[in-house]
Structures are given as structure tokens and as C-alpha cells.
Amino acid sequence: GQAHQGDVMVAVATNFLDTAKVLEAEFEAETALEVTLSSGSTGQLYSQIENGAPFDIFLAADTDRPRRLVDAGNGLEGTQFTYATGRLVLWMPASQTPDFDGADELRDGSYRALALANPALAPYGAAAEETLVSLDLADSLSDRIVYGQNIGQAYALVASGNAEMGFVAASQLVKGAADGQGGVWEVPGDLHAPIRQDVVLMQRAAGNEAALQFIAFLRSDKALSIMRDHGYEEG
Amino acid sequence: MSADRLSLDIALARETFGLKVREDLALEGVTAVFGPSGSGKTTLLRAIAGLETASEGRISFGETVWQDRAAGVYVAAHRRAVAYVFQDARLFSHLDVQGNLDFAAKRARKAGRSPDVDAAIAAFGIDGLLERRAVSLSGGESRRVALARAVLSCPDLMLLDEPLTGLDRAARRDILPFLKSLPEHSGCPVLYVSHDLEEVAALASAIVVMEAGRVLANGPVGEIGRSLDLGPLSEGAGPASLIEATVTRIDTDSGLMALEAGGETLLLPTAPGAREAEKLRLFIDARDVAIAVERPGPMSIRNVLPARVGRIVSSDAAADALVDLTIGSELIRAQITRHALSELKLETGQQVFALMKSVRLAGDFR
Amino acid sequence: MSADRLSLDIALARETFGLKVREDLALEGVTAVFGPSGSGKTTLLRAIAGLETASEGRISFGETVWQDRAAGVYVAAHRRAVAYVFQDARLFSHLDVQGNLDFAAKRARKAGRSPDVDAAIAAFGIDGLLERRAVSLSGGESRRVALARAVLSCPDLMLLDEPLTGLDRAARRDILPFLKSLPEHSGCPVLYVSHDLEEVAALASAIVVMEAGRVLANGPVGEIGRSLDLGPLSEGAGPASLIEATVTRIDTDSGLMALEAGGETLLLPTAPGAREAEKLRLFIDARDVAIAVERPGPMSIRNVLPARVGRIVSSDAAADALVDLTIGSELIRAQITRHALSELKLETGQQVFALMKSVRLAGDFR
Amino acid sequence: MPDLGPVLLSLHLAAVTTGILLVIGVPLAYWLATTQARLKPVVEAVTALPLVLPPTVIGFYLLILMNPSAPLGAAWVSLTGGTLSFSFSGLVFASAIYSLPFMVQPLQSAFEAVGRGPMEAAATLRASRLDAVWNVLLPQSARGILTACVLTFAHTIGEFGVVLMVGGNIPERTRVISIAIYEHVESVEYAEAHILSAGLLVFSFVTLVGVYALNRSYRLRVS
Amino acid sequence: MPDLGPVLLSLHLAAVTTGILLVIGVPLAYWLATTQARLKPVVEAVTALPLVLPPTVIGFYLLILMNPSAPLGAAWVSLTGGTLSFSFSGLVFASAIYSLPFMVQPLQSAFEAVGRGPMEAAATLRASRLDAVWNVLLPQSARGILTACVLTFAHTIGEFGVVLMVGGNIPERTRVISIAIYEHVESVEYAEAHILSAGLLVFSFVTLVGVYALNRSYRLRVS
Ligand SMILES: Nc1ncnc2c1ncn2[C@@H]1O[C@H](COP(=O)(O)OP(=O)(O)OP(=O)(O)O)[C@@H](O)[C@H]1O
Ligand SMILES: Nc1ncnc2c1ncn2[C@@H]1O[C@H](COP(=O)(O)OP(=O)(O)OP(=O)(O)O)[C@@H](O)[C@H]1O
Ligand SMILES: [Mg+2]
Ligand SMILES: [Mg+2]
């Protein structure tokens, strides 16, 4: 293939990049194969793959884009599966409340801005919106909601203090542990559909042994425990 | 035109040049600032106008202090009520001629003066140009507009920086009358920079002579002209005499006028606008003065006057000699060949006749 | 200096102006292109140099066709072997003087010529300037460098566009000798634009007179000078005569030289470098010629010659009259006052004496 | 028919930004064009910095700056009651910083080209500094001002990273056309992205051709 | 200690882009500065368009253009064997398009300021067009060329959207510093982002101050 750079080229959605880096290190240590990660938004990676990007594996942040790729023949039929499920949390850094209840806080709290990832683009954003709908708050809060383009920007809006509160990924709080003080509310799974992140093998990597090994590695216990450590549930 | 006092005690240091002027000038009519290139004439004018913000010392004009560094006073250029005519005219290129004039007049009115735009347009003969863009004017035209614009600013002091330099003879001849009438039209004294002796002679009543950033001398033109040999300062101009004469009679038939100078009578083509009893300044190139030992017979030279030979300057190095002639009470210089000098056996004190072919009004460029 | 033939049959249309020249010029030495401002002199030179790419028609120089639109020939400027000295010198500002000279010499060498840089530096007296930046030169200095640079290009034809305009008298006087020697130093004919009659007289052997984009006349300077009254064309210059004279004797004692013109002898200060039997062109301002009815006694005027009165032009409108005088076979013009004219009762055919106070070599600007 | 809201918002933002930058840029460029100060190259470099930094990074730092507990953000809150981030004002602020070089640099060149001459002439005709700037310098710099405004306007329309970061992408409030196009691309709505892009392209192209044609006739008239 | 790879890659990209744009920009700017063609405002507008379009949008369209099944992409593949997108060459191509106005506009101004005079003088001294451009026009435009190169270099360093889209953020190959910073910000590695941003800022600032100080002494020398 075109991947002169090592054995497997992996396109990874930015929200999963940190975890992917740990996985990469582990995989490389185990197999002596080389993995190259290229991150971007899921939509951007999708456009790139459509236009001939040299990726072997696509770790997306949703299930839709991998399916589209399979439908268009870029992704290999039957290789798509959910490698991780994201956990949505509501984060309020300034909160002093010991048993922080997000639902109450959303309903009663005095805050100007609530940050979400763009529901149109980011699965975490869509989940956050669903949550608000489930709590019957979508309309009452609509003029307080601000959007980050993706979950990373949503986090930045909250971390920089511009939004007092925001829906972010649990994985981000694991990463930014020092910042992750204040109130953190794990959004109950029944308030939104699971945030499934799917992987798919590219057509061009059909015979790429290294790529197949990496896919297999994603299902290994080792990998699953790493993902759990980083705030994901298994798929 | 009242006499206004300009007191200068200023210093300005440049990398390669220093201006240092301490002078008290009684300005009336046109005062020329005369000196070779690089002597600091422009710098001096700019300092007076308030355009050289780095100048040190003190400047006052009449009762008003324009600059007094010791007292922390520095009046900005636009509050000094001076008008400055730059060598390159500096008309506003985004305005037409009318717009340029109005620019000045409007601000003069705001300052409580009463500029007369129509009079200025008439005085400088620019009626035909009013709708022209500044960039489309010829050199001479744009100088005239710049002069009119300066007049419309109704200044207390008019500063002109070589308004004739770079123009050809025809254009200079056209503009000179306007310059002459400037003190009258503007009602204020004029400080006029030039390095052309004849221009100075034509226009100025007083002169400030500069060299290397210093004032060498200042005073009435006649006095300074006699006490200093300005020739060498005036780049490229030869020896000449400058005398004042009074119009005694104007003969419209012949088109000549009679002038009295030093007790003798001279005949010249009547100057436009000359009036009887008027004082005019005459410029006599030394090369245009011939010497005859006897009174010559009938000839076309109008001005043949008895004269006494004064100092004779002759050197082997030059084909020409300079002979001072006293005519009445005036001194006139003649340049003749050494060959003629020795043939005529001229000696100091000798009585001769001065033939002045070309006596012209100073500034009547040909 | 061989005679080179420049054949022009060109037309160039501008919004407000059209150039249309069909002329065959035998170029030798300096040929002047003379005419009032806006008559198309610069445009003509630019078309010859290949700088006006829109020009129509045909241009050939000697054997070489430079332009022939009908045949689709247009030789680019840099292949025409012309050098062009622009009015504004156009030295390369990023180079010093030496660099400017080398620029030309290097390319001339590539074209198979042999420029002599040292000779040019000596000829134009610019040894002291070689390391100066072009922008730091005075007007006169930069013209001299531009001339040297043009010479070092070893052209087949030299085009000069008013190289004296805008300079003051001193600078003009300094440069004139260099212009005079240009055909010699460059070894090629020179086409020289000017609107100053005296410059033309001083430098040129032939003249092309232009007006409104057309050539009015062309031929040797003397002929054209007689057949056309060039005065009005020459902006601001008064009437004058131009005569050719031969040096007959040089008297080192008195510093005078004798010249023969039209059978009569004139005495003038010896011109620097004048040689016996050399032909010189004399410029006599009509105002410097006086007329005496009788031969005057001893006087400083050296040149008193018997003359016959020719045409007399006099009008009530002017104080002066013009009198043509025939001296030997030469015609000289005198400007005297109408008053003198009537007093002396001058009539055509009358025998008088011409007193020529100021006869000077053409171009000996004072 | 695509939603026109972002288009109008972009035009509004570009117009306001251009206006504000003109007001800030003229004195700044005038100072840069005339000063002899040692500091000048430093200030010139600072005004050019927005060219160098990735927009998203600028956006990130602006976000930190506008935080209601940071001095600037707090001042804004106490002044207006609202936060600077996520507001149209915040977008304007961010765009102004980002587009600053596009206003200042052409203005400075234009002012330098006019030079001291006309300003001195005006001063000797009793015009105060302000009077001379307004009635001489600015009219004589017309071409440069036009260029500066067009570049600023165009660049603000095209601006994206900063606005995205600071604005919070709120429909009708901070969702400008460049974000809209980006969203369409991201969410695989290529047809809509093409329409909006083509519109933006044609609009910009026509504007620019107009400006350059005008510039040209200007030039012809002056020479 | 942050990874220096992206920094070096950015410098490399900026240097190559500047070099290539200089080669393209000089003839283009020369043509624009001297032509009388009707087409001129159109070409001027086209060279200014990259200013107007959001980088990500430009990137998107370039991506489509460079697709190996599109004409340009296919041609590149058949010529070099590799794809244009996701390669360093592709980044250079994209950056060159995006930074074009920053090279062409200052060059055009500089050439216009030199004017026809020196070129005509050179022609009458036997210098061919090329000779005159090389030995007269370019040396006399030194200041403008410097400005153009610095702006282009700076803007390429700061460029982000286009490169991310076209280049694909591949370490050692297309991951330039601006993308690295972006990625750090996005993945909540603020400390790393701060370090890289500060480094970029200081580097740019020092360079720009140097250039402007040089410009200034240039100006002083000429006047
Ligand atoms: N802006 C400046 N910076 C440095 N030196 C200057 C500046 N302007 C003038 N000078 C120098 O100051 C000296 C005086 O200049 P100034 O223009 O006053 O002379 P000038 O008498 O008006 O000469 P000219 O007759 O040529 O106009 C000159 O040596 C000149 O080189
Ligand atoms: N580039 C141009 N475009 C349009 N018209 C021009 C151009 N250059 C010159 N002209 C016009 O062509 C005419 C002839 O100009 P040209 O410069 O050849 O005259 P000239 O005889 O050299 O005058 P001068 O003695 O003033 O230099 C003038 O009317 C002038 O306005
Ligand atoms: Mg001066
Ligand atoms: Mg001309």
C-alpha cells in the first residue's frame, strides 16, 4: 500500500486519540509491528478516506460514518464493530457540592452557559441533547446552550471557564484529572442512546496482516482494560 | 504693511549639518534669504513655520512667542499663522484648484480672517484653472495656485521656498509679477528663499545671507549688495550692479521712461505699471557696460553717461577685467576685455563715458 | 564618425496626440530635435529606441531594419544598439556609480564591443564619484554618470532627451563640454532633444524642427536657422543671431582670439581649446547689438563692424524694434528701442556700424 | 434553498469588524507610518502576529482571555451583564484581532505613500493634525483604504477557526457562514456545502473584481 | 520537551512553499504590475480569493481535486507513483495556493513602485527583459521581496485548516506544528499546547521584529 510509514495506518477520531496512543504502544510492544495514528474529526477523516487517504483502519466516533464507508465500498464488509462505548458526564468545575447531582444542577443551578458538542457532528453532542430532552430541559435551557465543534472544544469551553458547566466525555476527565475537580455527574445510561464508537477495516487493507492483528488486538482483554481505564465501556 | 519683528535664536542639529541662527529681523515687504545650496535656507524656513519640531531655542514674531524651549513653549505649525509655499507647490492632489483655494480660505475664516477668494483668483490669473485637478497643472500654473492658496490663508507671515526654481525662463517671467505683488495681496511680510541674485534683486527690499547654517549678514538689499561680493555666492551668475532709480518721466509715445539715478538720467522701456516718482531697482550686467573715452556720436545705445573710473581689477589669468565706474553717486561695474583695457589706457580717476546697452529692471528675465 | 542614415516612417496615436514622422536623416555628430513642449520630441526618441511598442510603420538605421510592421519586424530595445540618456538620468539606485558603469560595459562586451571604462571615467570627470550611491549624486553629477554609462554601452546611435533641462546655470555650464565631446567619445551619431535654441546652437550641426507631432523642417543648423524664425518656438528666449566664424588668430597675450565671419573680423576671449582655422558658432543676442551711425571713437567694445541696414521690424505695440544688419555676408539682428530707431532715422540700405558688446560662443552660458 | 441566517450573520460580522478596525486601524497605521520610535518594529510585529498563529489557537487563547473570571471577561460582564464569549460582540472582538493585519498593513503603506508633504502643507494652511488627517491624508489614501477594507471584509467572511472557538456556534447568534459550510462538510452534506461555497466564492470574486477594476481606474486617473 | 518533528516539518514546509511561491509569484506579479490587459482585475481577484474562503473549505475542495481518481490527482499518481493528498508534496501544493496572495500582493506593489523607468534604462543598455528583471527589477524591489517572503513564510507556518484536510495529520509526513497545537488543544493537553504556542509566538515575533527593523533601516538608507 501507500503506507510507507510503518505497517498500519490508523485514522482515529480525536476524542479517542489518547486512548489510541496507549493501545498503540501496547500493541507495538507485543507484536513489533508499527502503528501510525492520524487523528481528526470523524467527518474530516471520512472525507479524506473517500478521497483516497491511505488509512487501513478507521476508529470513528460514531457508527454512521463507518457504515457509510462500507456501503460505498471503501470499508470492508463485515469488519465493522463497536470497539468502545463512550461515557457522557456533566462537569461543573466550580461546584463545591459534595454529592453533585447533575439533573438538579441543570434544572436549578445558576449558570449562564452550558457547553455541548455540536449534536450534528459529534455523538457526544447528540447524546447530551438526548439527555436534555429526556430530562425535559431542552427547551428551557435552549438559550443557555453553547456548542463546541466537537467534544474537545466543549471541554475547552468549560475548562477555560467560559461555560460554567458542560457535557464532556468521561475519558477527558480521566486525562485532565487535575482539572476534573468540582462536580462530576455520570449521566445515567437510560437518558440517552449509547455512544457507540465503531471501527472498520478499509478495503485497501484487506490483505494487511498487521491491520487484521490490530483489529483483533482491539478485542483483547488487555485493550479492553486500557479502554476502561480511560473512561470507556466496552462495546 | 507694518514692520513685524521676527526674533530668532534657534539651533537645530542634523547628522551632517547644524543650523544656528540668532538674529532679529524687521520684516517689511519681501525679505530674501539668500545663500548657496545646502546653507540651511529651507531648514531655517521650516523651523520658523514650525515644521522642524526638533529645533531648539526661541522664536517670536511680533508680540507672539512661537517657540521657547526654555519655557516649554512650542506652538504647532497650524497655529502660527504662517503660510508656506513649498518649492514643489504641494497642491492637494485629491482636490481641484477651487478646492485647494477653498481649503485655505475656509480655515482662515474659522480663524477670524476674511480671505477674498475672488480677489486672489483675479490677482494670480487662475480663473481659467478652477476646475482643473492639481496634478494636471503645468509647473508655472501650480506655483500660481500655491501662491493664491497661501494668500487665502491670510497669514501673518508668508514663507516662500524657491518658488521659481526649476521653472523655465518663460514661466519665471510669468510668475515674477505675482511674487512682486505678494506683500500687497497678502498684507503681510514675505520671507523668500532664493539662490538667484537677480531674483533677490528683483523682489526683496532686505536680505539675509546664509552660509553653512549661519547668517553671514542681514540688512537692506542695497547695503548688503555693496558690502559683500555676492557674486561668488550666486551660483554661476557673473558680476553685475544693482542700483535704485526713480521714475521721472513716462513717455507713452516712444514707450520709454526716464529714470534718475545718482543724479544722472537713464532711458528704459517703460515697465508695465510703472508710475512717476516710483522707485525701481535696476540690474546691470557688467558685461553689458561698455566704456568709451570720448562721447560717441549718434547711436542706438540710449544710456551714455559721463563716469569716473574707480577700482580696476585685472589679472593675467582672465581675458576680462572689471572696472568700477562712478556715475553721479552710484557705482556701476563694467566687464571689458583686458585687450580693451590696455588699448584705452584706462586709469583710476579718469573721466570716461559709460555705455549701457542693456539696463533692465531687476527680474525682467530675458 | 561616419554618416549613418536613419529612415523614419512612423505613426503613433495617443488619446490627445498623434506622432507622424516620415523623414530620412543623415546623422553625423550631433543632430538636434528641437520644438516646443508637447511637440512629440520625447515620443519620437522613444519610438526610435524601441520603447514605444505601439508605434506603427518602419524604422531603419544604416543597413539594419529596426521596425517594419508590414513585415512583422520589431527589434526589441535591447537589440537596437542605441543608448538613451533620459531627462531624469535614471541611474540604477541599487548600484553605486561604478556598478552603473559596469552594467553598461559588461553588456557591451557581451555584444562584442570594447568599452573603455577608464577612458569614460576620465572623459566625464567622474573618478571621484565611483563609490557613491546613485541617489547621493547632485543633478549635474548624475547626468555626467548617465552620459558615461551611455557611452560605455558602445551604441550605434546615442539618444539624449534634454540632458540639461532642470539644471541650474552652473551645472549646465559644467556639463556642456561633455555633451560637445560626446560624438567623439562614443564614436557614434547623437540625436539630441532640446527646446533651448542656444543649446541647440552650441551643440548641433543639424536640426530637426518639430511641432504638434510633425517634422517642420530638417537640415544643417545654419540653414534652418536662417530660413525659419525659430525665436517663437524657443520658449522665452528673445531674438538672436547665430553665425559661423573661423578662428584666424589666437593672441595668448591679450587672451583674445580673432575670428573671421562674412569677411569681417571679430575679437572674442579665447575659448578654451580653440585652435586656429577651427570653425566656431557664435551666438549674438539681438539686445547686445547696438547701432552707431558714425564710427565711434576709442571704446571698450571690441567688435565694431561696418554694416548695412536690412529689414526693419517695428510696431507701435512694442518699445523695441528689430533691425537686420548685413555684415559682410552674414546677417545679424539688432534689437534697439523705437525711440533710438526714430532718432537715428535708420532706413533699409543705410550704411551703419554694428557694435557688438557681447558676442559669445554659443552655449557659453553666463 | 440553504438557510440564509449564517450568510447574513457573516455579512453583519464582516461589516461591523471592518468598521471597528477602520476606526482602530487609521490611528494605529498613522502612528506606524509617521513615528520614529524605537518601538515601531515591535508594534509592527505585534500587528502582524495574527497572520502567524493558527486561528484555532488564537481562538483558544481568546477563550481563556474572555473567561468571565479573567480580567477582560470580568470587565465585560460587569459592564454589559452578558459574557463576551458566545456573544456577537465576542465574535467581533475576535475577528478584529484576527483581521487586524489586513487593515493596518495596507493603510500604513498608503499613508507612507502620501508622505509628509501634504500634511505639512495642510498644517501651514491652519489645519490641525486631526483636520489634516481627515481632509487631506484620508482622501489622498482613498485607494489604500478601499484595499484595506476589502481585504478585512473578505478575510472576516472567510474566518473560521477563531469564530468557531469563541462564538459557541449558536444559531442566529454566532453561527456564521464559514461554520455552516464546515458543518455541512463534516456531516457529509456535500450538496449544501457546495452551494454555500459556490455562493461565497462568486460573491467574493465579484466584489474583488469590482474593487480591482476600480483601483485600476483610480490609478489611471492619478497618473 | 515537546516533539520537534512538527516544528521542523513546519519550517520545511514554509521554506519550500515560500521558495516555490517566489518562483511563481515573481512572474505573476510582474505581469500584473506591467500589463494593460482587460483581464488584469480578474486575475488580481483570483489571486486574492484564498483570503476569502475558509481554509477548511479550501482544503475540502483541494482534497476533491487531489483525489487519485480526479484528473490532477491521477496525473500526479501516474507521474510520481504516490498520491498528492496526504503527502508532503500535497501540503506544499495546498499551502502554495492558500498563501499565494501573501506573496503576489507585496511583490506587485514593489514592482509597481519601481516602475518602468529603470527597466527602460536597462533595455537601452542592451539588457534583455530577463536580464533587466534579474539585475535591476529584483534588486530594486529587495524590500518588497523580503516582505513578501516573510508574510508567506509566516502565514504558511500558521496555516492549519487546509493542511489538516489535505495532509491528514500523519506524523513525520504532514503533521505540522499548527496541527500539533490544534491536536493538543483538542485532546486536552493544554500544557503541551501552551509550550508549542509560546514557542511559535516567540519565534514569529522575533523574526517579524527583525524583518521590520531591517525594513526600517532599508527605508532610511534609501531616503
Ligand atoms: N531631513 C534631513 N535630514 C538630514 N539632513 C538634512 C535633511 N534635510 C536637509 N538636510 C541637510 O541640511 C543641510 C541644509 O539643507 P537645506 O535644505 O536647509 O539647504 P538649502 O539652503 O535650502 O539648500 P538648497 O538651496 O539646495 O535648497 C544640507 O546639508 C542637507 O543635506
Ligand atoms: N504616456 C502617454 N500617454 C498619453 N499621452 C502622452 C504620453 N506621453 C506623452 N503624451 C502626450 O504626447 C504629447 C507629446 O509628448 P512628448 O513628451 O513627446 O513631448 P515633448 O516634445 O517631449 O515635450 P517636452 O518638451 O515637454 O518634453 C504630449 O501632448 C503629451 O501630453
Ligand atoms: Mg532649500
Ligand atoms: Mg520631452
Side-chain angles (χ1 to χ4, degrees), chain B residues 42 45-46 49 51 82-86 149-150 159-161, chain D residues 124:
Chain B
T42 297
L45 249 68
R46 290 175 54 85
L51 298 176
V82 298
Y84 197 117
V85 178
F86 297 87
R149 190 178 66 169
L159 304 171
L160 307 188
D161 196 355
Chain D
T124 61

Side-chain angles (χ1 to χ4, degrees), chain B residues 244-249 258-266 282 329-330:
Chain B
E244 290 212 333
T246 315
V247 179
T248 52
R249 199 166 49 80
L259 296 124
E260 189 274 341
E264 298 286 342
T265 296
L266 293 164
L282 303 181
S329 58
E330 287 285 350

Side-chain angles (χ1 to χ4, degrees), chain C residues 14-17 35-44 87 162 195:
Chain C
R14 289 253 167 79
E15 294 114 72
T16 54
F17 170 84
S37 194
S39 56
K41 307 181 294 295
T42 297
T43 309
L44 175 65
Q87 190 180 321
E162 313 211 18
H195 53 221

Side-chain angles (χ1 to χ4, degrees), chain C:
Chain C
M1 279 182 269
S2 67
D4 292 290
R5 205 146 202 90
L6 181 66
S7 301
L8 300 170
D9 182 3
I10 53 175
L12 184 69
R14 289 253 167 79
E15 294 114 72
T16 54
F17 170 84
L19 179 79
K20 203 169 179 72
V21 171
R22 181 172 198 154
E23 214 74 28
D24 229 39
L25 306 173
L27 301 181
E28 182 165 5
V30 177
T31 303
V33 179
F34 176 79
S37 194
S39 56
K41 307 181 294 295
T42 297
T43 309
L44 175 65
L45 248 69
R46 291 175 54 85
I48 294 173
L51 298 175
E52 292 289 349
T53 45
S55 82
E56 291 298 319
R58 197 173 186 286
I59 303 177
S60 67
F61 179 72
E63 305 292 288
T64 327
V65 177
W66 280 345
Q67 177 179 324
D68 190 347
R69 293 293 187 184
V73 175
Y74 189 88
V75 178
H78 68 280
R79 296 195 191 284
R80 291 197 184 188
V82 297
Y84 196 115
V85 178
F86 298 86
Q87 190 180 321
D88 50 355
R90 297 204 186 169
L91 299 182
F92 298 130
S93 56
H94 63 295
L95 300 173
D96 58 11
V97 168
Q98 181 79 54
N100 270 276
L101 300 179
D102 291 345
F103 187 100
K106 191 174 142 197
R107 284 160 184 80
R109 258 178 236 119
K110 265 197 202 139
R113 315 280 169 128
S114 6
D116 185 340
V117 178
D118 292 338
I121 290 171
F124 292 92
I126 51 179
D127 347 19
L129 307 176
L130 295 176
E131 287 172 10
R132 296 266 294 277
R133 300 226 117 216
V135 282
S136 77
L137 300 177
S138 78
E141 288 167 346
S142 49
R143 308 280 168 108
R144 255 149 61 201
V145 174
L147 287 170
R149 188 177 70 170
V151 165
L152 287 173
S153 183
C154 302
D156 295 334
L157 173 61
M158 183 85 85
L159 304 171
L160 307 189
D161 197 355
E162 313 211 18
L164 293 183
T165 302
L167 296 183
D168 62 19
R169 278 175 292 200
R172 291 167 73 176
R173 210 175 30 204
D174 287 351
I175 293 179
L176 208 81
F178 297 113
L179 289 178
K180 261 187 182 152
S181 63
L182 207 52
E184 183 192 324
H185 288 305
S186 67
C188 75
V190 175
L191 211 52
Y192 175 96
V193 164
S194 175
H195 53 221
D196 187 293
L197 189 54
E198 187 170 348
E199 257 177 55
V200 170
L203 290 168
S205 51
I207 184 170
V208 177
V209 182
M210 295 198 62
E211 206 170 30
R214 303 276 186 288
V215 169
L216 280 191
N218 88 69
V221 167
E223 257 173 49
I224 300 292
R226 259 192 292 277
S227 67
L228 269 177
D229 202 359
L230 298 176
L233 288 181
S234 173
E235 294 160 25
S241 315
L242 205 56
I243 60 177
E244 289 212 334
T246 315
V247 179
T248 52
R249 200 166 48 81
I250 293 180
D251 180 4
T252 38
D253 266 8
S254 65
L256 291 181
M257 60 182 176
L259 296 124
E260 189 274 342
E264 298 289 341
T265 297
L266 293 164
L267 286 178
L268 256 76
T270 307
R275 293 180 313 274
E276 273 181 33
E278 192 185 4
K279 286 210 164 181
L280 296 176
R281 200 163 304 131
L282 302 182
F283 186 85
I284 306 173
D285 192 317
R287 303 203 218 188
D288 287 340
V289 181
I291 300 173
V293 175
E294 303 157 15
R295 180 181 283 276
M299 62 188 309
S300 65
I301 297 180
R302 293 297 81 193
N303 299 301
V304 180
L305 301 179
R308 184 180 303 279
V309 176
R311 187 176 55 136
I312 297 175
V313 183
S314 159
S315 106
D316 283 351
D320 288 325
L322 279 183
V323 179
D324 284 356
L325 300 171
T326 322
I327 302 181
S329 56
E330 289 286 348
L331 185 82
I332 285 172
R333 199 162 280 174
Q335 175 173 344
I336 65 178
T337 57
R338 280 202 292 125
H339 185 242
L341 184 70
S342 67
E343 220 178 64
L344 297 181
K345 300 196 174 60
L346 292 184
E347 274 172 22
T348 302
Q350 188 177 349
Q351 195 68 43
V352 296
F353 291 86
L355 279 60
M356 289 171 285
K357 165 68 185 162
S358 269
V359 177
R360 66 178 194 274
L361 295 178
D364 181 12
F365 299 110
R366 26 170 185 160

Side-chain angles (χ1 to χ4, degrees), chain B residues 12-19 33-46 52 84 87 161-162 165 193-195 210-213 235, chain D residues 116, chain E residues 223:
Chain B
L12 184 70
R14 289 252 169 79
E15 292 115 72
T16 54
F17 170 83
L19 179 78
V33 179
F34 176 78
S37 194
S39 57
K41 307 181 294 294
T42 297
T43 309
L44 176 65
L45 249 68
R46 290 175 54 85
E52 293 289 348
Y84 197 117
Q87 190 180 321
D161 196 355
E162 312 210 16
T165 302
V193 165
S194 174
H195 53 221
M210 295 198 62
E211 205 169 33
E235 293 160 26
Chain D
R116 285 199 307 178
Chain E
S223 72

